């Protein structure tokens, strides 16, 4: 059976089959409302059948026995000659089962209108299924290249089709501020537009000489959150601080280090890389961003969704140059009794971790938020000696002990490799594993010359399929802190949704199976079977209009000849 991601257990019973027709009824029990609506709007659109209420046909229910055996996100699907019974451990599990039912109907079930002459038959089967990880995420950067709202809603549909359930929404960066904050209107009036855009890697000499930008109104955000919730996807917003903040400083120059540079001369950045223009650690900056987060919490309410309490604060790649040069910042470090600029960033992160916790929320940030604690704190958390070596004789990255100074309940997105996640888990913090070397899908998919704007290491479909989110260094208790895993899509060289499609697919299908399915160890995974199932899945992607990378290589219109990238040769380090 050609399902992606692969279910835990499949029993096939051969002929005959269950046939959908214009008289097929849909019987929906309590707690099934979202899936009922989704089935009528999607399967109904593809088949042209009303799926009217009534007895027999397709029955939807939520039952505690499935919850007990398979969890809230588990489901059982039984297809018999006269009826289909889909039972979820909870509303989310029922919805994931409906995605499986759609795949069983064939690729044309993923279209938006019926094609003539189609027969809609389900094979007789019994499926029991549940996910391996609770956090099955995708991060989309809409700051480098803005994706209009309709593209975001489409992206959520593609996530749902692959049973991915956390949408990490990267809303602010040096190159653009993408969310309306009513008390600070210049964030979008000024901060959402840049004058031009670098085409290719930052070393490229090519420019697109026209303004680029856009933003989501608060009602747009409410619509996106509601649309995601209908598909049992949690949206985790990211407001990047204290680095990656040039767009905000361009809008409100008082947020920057004005004793070092003329912040009134800054514009939204039109280049890639890491801007040196970072936030000043003043009380005014803290109050400003508290105001931003106050509006954010209203737009992204914490509800019954498993991860809806999380707010991502970035915290990565904060250049310290201006802080080192600034008399005001140096006075602030002394006033706070801090050791250095790293400790100042840790103080900044702790402030917002505490602020969010007081409002029932949980901070999550990139693994740099682990830095800046005392050497003694780091040694206790990571089991290291004062010279930076662990008890087993190995060394922390750079030989430096990473101090842990996060507030209780804070979590870490481990992007620079596995080590940040290992450190956080050993210190009792939850972790989302998203190592750049493995699951940054902006990295190129092949070493060929036709690969468009090649960035980073070669990460093939098979490489992603053999990615393992839980590092073997963790004990069983420590591994429980791995909430799950996430693939990241940074859009410097993805100018529109077709380029996002190309970088994401088909690799996101492989990632979805890694996040969902109970796979064996990486070397033992049956990639040949996955490729066989992908043959059918390409038909589904075609029906959904996904501009994926074909197995034979990019199509002519997908290439970008002459546009400079940044390929990195050799296998990625396992750090």
């Amino acid at each position: 059976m050609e399902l992606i991601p692969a279910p835990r257990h499949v029993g096939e019973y051969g002929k005959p089959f269950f046939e959908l027709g214009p008289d097929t009824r849909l019987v929906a029990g309590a707690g099934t409302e979202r899936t009922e609506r989704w089935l009528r709007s999607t399967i109904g659109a593809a088949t042209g059948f009303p799926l009217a209420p009534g007895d027999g046909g397709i029955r939807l229910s939520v039952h505690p026995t499935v919850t007990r055996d398979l969890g809230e996100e588990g489901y059982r699907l039984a297809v018999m000659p006269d009826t289909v019974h889909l039972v979820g451990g909870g509303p989310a599990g029922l919805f994931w089962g409906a995605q499986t039912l759609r795949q069983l109907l064939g690729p044309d079930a993923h279209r938006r209108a019926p094609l003539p002459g189609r027969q809609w038959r389900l094979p007789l089967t019994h499926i029991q299924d549940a996910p391996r990880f609770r956090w099955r995420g995708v991060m989309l950067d809409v700051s480098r290249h803005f994706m209009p709202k309709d593209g975001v809603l489409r992206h959520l549909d593609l996530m749902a089709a692959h049973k991915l359930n956390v949408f990490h929404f990267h809303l602010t960066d040096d190159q653009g501020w993408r969310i309306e904050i009513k008390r600070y209107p210049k964030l979008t009036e000024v901060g959402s537009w840049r004058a031009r855009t670098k085409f290719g890697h930052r070393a490229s000499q090519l420019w697109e000489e026209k303004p680029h930008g856009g933003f989501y109104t608060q009602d747009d955000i409410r619509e996106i959150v509601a649309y995601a919730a209908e598909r049992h996807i949690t949206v985790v917003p990211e407001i990047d601080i204290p680095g990656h903040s040039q767009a905000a400083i361009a809008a409100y120059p008082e947020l920057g280090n004005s004793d070092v540079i003329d912040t009134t001369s800054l514009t939204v950045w039109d280049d890639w890389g890491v801007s040196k223009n970072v936030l000043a650690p003043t009380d005014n900056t803290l109050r400003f961003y508290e105001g931003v987060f106050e509006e954010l919490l209203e737009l992204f309410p914490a509800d019954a969704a498993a991860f809806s309490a999380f707010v991502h604060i970035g915290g990565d790649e904060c250049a310290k140059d201006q802080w080192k040069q600034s008399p005001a910042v140096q006075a602030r470090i002394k006033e706070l009794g801090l050791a250095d600029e790293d400790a100042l960033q840790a103080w900044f992160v702790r402030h917002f971790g505490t602020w969010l916790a007081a409002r029932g929320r949980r901070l999550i940030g990139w693994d740099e938020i682990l830095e800046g604690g005392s050497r003694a704190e780091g040694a206790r958390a990571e089991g290291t000696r004062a010279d930076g070596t662990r008890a087993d004789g190995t060394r922390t990255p750079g030989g430096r002990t990473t101090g842990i100074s996060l507030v209780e309940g804070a979590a870490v997105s481990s992007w620079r490799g596995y080590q940040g996640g290992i450190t956080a888990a050993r210190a009792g913090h939850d972790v989302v594993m998203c190592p750049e070397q493995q699951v940054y899908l902006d990295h190129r998919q092949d070493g060929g010359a036709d690969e468009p704007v090649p960035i980073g290491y070669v990460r093939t479909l098979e490489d992603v399929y053999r990615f393992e989110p839980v590092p073997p260094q963790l004990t069983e208790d420590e591994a429980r802190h791995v909430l799950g895993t996430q693939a990241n899509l940074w859009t410097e060289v993805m100018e529109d949704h077709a380029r996002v499609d190309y970088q994401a697919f088909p690799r996101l299908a492989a990632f979805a199976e890694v996040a969902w399915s109970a796979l064996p160890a990486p070397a033992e995974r049956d990639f040949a079977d996955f490729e066989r199932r992908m043959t059918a899945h390409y038909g589904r992607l075609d029906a959904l209009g996904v501009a994926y990378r074909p197995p034979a290589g990019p199509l002519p219109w997908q290439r970008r000849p002459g546009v400079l990238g940044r390929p990195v040769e050799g296998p990625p380090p396992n750090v």
Side-chain angles (χ1 to χ4, degrees), residues 357-382:
R359 290 154 181 81
R361 299 305 188 96
R362 293 181 66 183
L363 177 147
I364 184 169
W366 304 111
D367 54 57
E368 285 95 329
I369 68 173
L370 293 166
E371 298 173 354
S374 70
R375 185 170 290 274
E377 287 175 330
R380 285 195 299 271
E382 199 173 295

Side-chain angles (χ1 to χ4, degrees), residues 320-339:
K320 307 298 194 301
D321 307 59
Q322 291 181 358
W323 286 359
K324 291 177 181 178
Q325 299 164 13
S326 165
V329 172
Q330 292 303 309
R332 184 68 153 167
I333 290 172
K334 184 176 180 180
E335 171 197 342
L336 295 169
L338 302 174

Side-chain angles (χ1 to χ4, degrees), residues 146-153 156 167 169 171 178-180 182 188 214-228 235 299-300:
F146 178 65
M147 182 176 285
K149 181 192 67 179
D150 285 353
V152 175
L153 300 181
L156 291 168
F167 177 44
F169 206 6
L171 289 163
R178 304 293 179 218
I179 181 170
E180 178 188 28
K182 291 188 174 180
T188 46
F215 66 93
Y216 309 103
T217 68
Q218 293 200 351
D219 280 344
D220 289 338
I221 293 292
R222 292 185 182 99
E223 180 183 358
I224 289 168
V225 171
Y227 194 86
V235 184
L299 297 171
F300 297 88

Side-chain angles (χ1 to χ4, degrees), residues 420-478:
I422 293 169
T423 299
R426 286 176 172 168
H429 289 281
D430 288 339
V431 177
V432 175
M433 285 293 186
C434 50
E436 174 188 17
Q437 303 84 353
Q438 311 298 329
V439 287
Y440 267 37
L441 299 186
D442 46 304
H443 283 213
R444 57 195 173 133
Q445 304 183 61
D446 188 86
D450 286 337
E451 209 62 31
V453 198
I455 299 295
Y457 297 101
V458 172
R459 292 285 85 194
T460 66
L461 182 65
E462 182 172 359
D463 291 330
V464 174
Y465 190 66
R466 297 193 189 281
F467 164 61
E468 172 50 49
V470 179
Q473 298 95 317
L474 295 180
T475 67
E476 186 176 341
D477 284 343
E478 291 166 347

Side-chain angles (χ1 to χ4, degrees), residues 253-271:
E254 64 270 23
L255 297 173
N257 296 287
S258 55
D259 60 341
V260 175
I261 62 162
D262 177 11
T263 55
T264 63
S265 68
L266 292 179
T267 60
V268 177
W269 210 24
D270 59 12
D271 209 343

